């Protein structure tokens, strides 16, 4: 069963804690991504997506490929001017400043969750996807 994703703010819950999140679910938001920015606070979630590129980027990024259940398939660091390989099982992509994902504990096999809204607590209210935190 699919989820309905909408552009906007939220929180990414990782093993390292809650991270500010921006969701890019519309074609326009996904196409723009991080292009034209000098950096990113937190993380950008591109959905649906299974590959990215860094042509036109101004900085190195970490990229995490996620499956339908928001389990990390792979994490790579991409400098500007590169084309990432598509991940066949990938359904979502996270982009963050280079080196950030290591500090958050993101690695293959880790499952993350996403909460919607701009509340600063990173709590579970408004969960839009991810595992049941009480399970």
């Amino acid at each position: 069963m699919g989820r309905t994703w909408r552009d906007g703010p939220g929180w990414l819950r990782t093993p390292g804690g809650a991270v500010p999140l921006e969701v890019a679910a519309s074609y326009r938001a996904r196409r723009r991504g991080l292009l034209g920015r000098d950096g990113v606070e937190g993380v950008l979630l591109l959905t649906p997506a299974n590959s990215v590129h860094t042509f036109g980027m101004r900085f190195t990024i970490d990229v995490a490929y996620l499956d339908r259940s928001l389990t990390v398939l792979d994490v790579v660091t991409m400098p500007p001017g590169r084309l990432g390989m598509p991940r066949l099982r990938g359904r979502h992509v996270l982009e963050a400043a280079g080196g950030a994902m290591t500090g958050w504990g993101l690695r293959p096999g880790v499952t993350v969750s996403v909460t919607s809204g701009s509340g600063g607590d990173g709590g579970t209210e408004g969960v839009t996807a991810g595992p049941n935190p009480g399970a």
Side-chain angles (χ1 to χ4, degrees):
M1 189 180 305
R3 303 275 183 196
T4 301
W5 295 90
R6 293 192 179 118
D7 294 346
W11 291 90
L12 177 72
R13 293 187 321 170
T14 71
V19 179
L21 170 82
E22 179 182 342
V23 176
S26 69
Y27 174 77
R28 175 182 245 173
R30 286 192 319 269
R31 184 160 188 227
R32 179 167 185 254
L34 296 176
L35 295 176
R37 299 187 195 189
D38 292 324
V40 58
E41 281 191 37
V43 65
L44 177 69
L45 171 68
L46 303 167
T47 184
N50 69 354
S51 69
V52 297
H53 68 83
T54 58
F55 299 114
M57 297 282 293
R58 299 178 182 166
F59 57 99
T60 298
I61 61 171
D62 281 351
V63 177
Y65 298 90
L66 309 176
D67 67 10
R68 290 182 197 276
S69 63
L70 301 181
T71 299
V72 177
L73 300 171
D74 196 11
V75 178
V76 297
T77 299
M78 294 177 61
R82 299 293 196 270
L83 178 62
M85 294 293 296
R87 301 314 194 266
L88 296 178
R89 290 183 22 228
R91 295 297 177 264
H92 316 282
V93 173
L94 295 172
E95 296 181 339
M101 291 186 183
T102 300
W104 301 334
L106 293 184
R107 62 187 180 285
V110 168
T111 300
V112 298
S113 63
V114 172
T115 59
S116 63
S118 57
D121 63 358
T124 59
E125 190 172 340
V127 171
T128 56
N132 180 351

